[in-house]
Amino acid sequence: MMPSWYLEKPLGDYVAIYTGKSGRKIATEGAAGGGAITSFLCYLLDNGIIDGVVAARKSKGLEGEIVVARTRDDIIKSAGSRWQVLPFTLKLKETIENESLRSMAIVGLPCQINFLRQMKTFPLLETDFSNKISMLISLFCFGTFAQESVLSYVREKYGIEPSSIEEIKISQKALKFIGDKEVEIKFDEITKYMQVGCLLCPDYTGIASDISAGTVEDKTFIIVRNNEANEMLKDANKKGYIEIENVNEIEIERVEKKATEKIKRASSYIAQLL
Ligand code: SF4
């Protein structure tokens, strides 16, 4: 059974929720979340709050790679390929240990952010690197797919050879395969190919983050979970990096609805396992 507080607070604790987009100071066309998070990362870097960003971006198909961005150009260039919803925790540790960053922001999935928050809160390991992490930013996540199973399904059902796929675009409701053929497949059709852990995961927004961001019905929502992050976001707004607007109840409900959907999905899969 899922703890009841999940449904009572589907978005976790927060101090503010905004909709946001990139401000006049930064051109981030094509970046995820209307560029809001990319622009905020530029603000953090320009103002000496961080000296680098560690994130995953899509490299090929459903594969991803870790990027370490140390300049504003790096950040914008990387985001042009879209910050991506990809599992990368093992590589992340290796990358952080090998990089000479002192203070970084990490953009990741709710499960990764949760893991890193635990490490920050209970720093037990000798190899712990959490003191280098200044800001944890979570992207909204509804799940990731078991790559080989999806590709084999697409080959059998739609006759698309994996080698002919040039790009896979992930939207809120579907995967679009682009290559010799172009096919859009709704998530409902391929839910069974999601990673098992994702089907059991109740966290849509990343409740352990400092800031969560994601797009729901074409608007980028930014959930701010502590006052320090909120002050930074407001300063970034004042300095033209980002444009934020307060949200109304109806807009909050839209995000809560998505988060609740994920909690219920996890409850139902957990019940099947018991
Ligand atoms: S659904 Fe949960 S476990 Fe799966 S990638 Fe997203 S945050 Fe991680």
Side-chain angles (χ1 to χ4, degrees):
M1 279 292 287
M2 200 63 62
S4 61
W5 58 263
Y6 265 110
L7 281 169
E8 280 158 24
K9 286 187 188 177
L11 306 183
D13 289 318
Y14 57 85
V15 295
I17 303 188
Y18 305 102
T19 53
K21 59 183 184 185
S22 188
R24 63 182 186 281
K25 200 157 181 160
I26 307 279
T28 59
E29 211 175 309
I37 287 304
T38 301
S39 302
F40 181 58
L41 291 168
C42 291
Y43 160 83
L44 294 175
L45 197 69
D46 287 355
N47 288 271
I49 299 164
I50 57 169
D51 59 1
V53 177
V54 179
R57 73 174 173 197
K58 193 166 59 168
S59 54
K60 183 172 173 280
L62 287 170
E63 287 168 32
E65 63 182 4
I66 297 273
V67 285
V68 180
R70 291 169 178 275
T71 65
R72 184 200 271 219
D73 276 357
D74 282 351
I75 291 175
I76 294 172
K77 208 163 67 193
S78 302
S81 308
R82 299 181 75 88
W83 301 124
Q84 195 49 274
V85 174
L86 292 162
F88 71 110
T89 306
L90 270 182
K91 267 189 173 177
L92 174 72
K93 182 173 182 295
E94 198 182 290
T95 306
I96 293 172
E97 280 173 353
N98 294 336
E99 291 286 333
S100 57
L101 295 170
R102 283 173 292 104
S103 171
M104 70 188 100
I106 296 187
V107 183
L109 303 169
C111 53
Q112 293 157 348
I113 297 301
N114 191 24
F115 162 76
L116 293 166
R117 175 66 69 199
Q118 294 227 15
M119 193 190 268
K120 259 179 98 57
T121 312
F122 307 107
L124 291 174
L125 305 172
E126 276 175 32
T127 52
D128 177 62
F129 51 81
S130 59
N131 58 339
K132 294 180 172 184
I133 302 170
S134 305
M135 173 77 63
L136 289 171
I137 299 178
S138 178
L139 302 173
F140 294 180
C141 174
F142 215 71
T144 55
F145 290 94
Q147 212 182 126
E148 296 208 345
S149 313
V150 173
L151 293 179
S152 119
Y153 172 77
V154 166
R155 181 170 50 207
E156 275 166 36
K157 172 103 194 253
Y158 296 96
I160 296 178
E161 276 306 317
S163 56
S164 73
I165 299 170
E166 283 158 25
E167 196 184 353
I168 301 176
K169 285 196 171 163
I170 305 173
S171 69
Q172 283 178 63
K173 293 196 173 152
L175 286 184
K176 190 183 217 176
F177 294 81
I178 301 165
D180 293 350
K181 281 188 189 173
E182 199 169 300
V183 176
E184 187 170 272
I185 305 177
K186 297 264 184 293
F187 283 155
D188 291 350
E189 187 182 332
I190 45 176
T191 304
K192 57 178 182 273
Y193 301 114
M194 246 178 209
Q195 310 271 7
V196 178
C198 296
L199 295 171
L200 304 173
C201 168
D203 190 358
Y204 176 58
T205 59
I207 59 178
S209 65
D210 296 298
I211 290 180
S212 305
T215 305
V216 176
E217 294 178 19
D218 293 334
K219 278 194 174 175
T220 297
F221 287 85
I222 302 172
I223 303 174
V224 192
R225 303 191 185 275
N226 57 60
N227 291 328
E228 198 186 355
N230 201 23
E231 287 312 310
M232 287 180 200
L233 205 69
K234 286 199 266 185
D235 194 43
N237 181 50
K238 201 167 91 191
K239 290 179 173 160
Y241 285 84
I242 185 168
E243 284 176 27
I244 52 174
E245 278 181 33
N246 289 314
V247 290
N248 57 38
E249 280 304 313
I250 294 168
E251 287 172 315
I252 294 176
E253 276 167 21
R254 257 182 234 149
V255 189
E256 283 180 342
K257 192 171 157 216
K258 290 286 291 177
T260 303
E261 214 180 295
K262 191 174 174 190
I263 294 166
K264 289 188 172 163
R265 183 181 77 187
S267 290
S268 132
Y269 276 93
I270 288 169
Q272 286 175 38
L273 284 181
L274 294 176

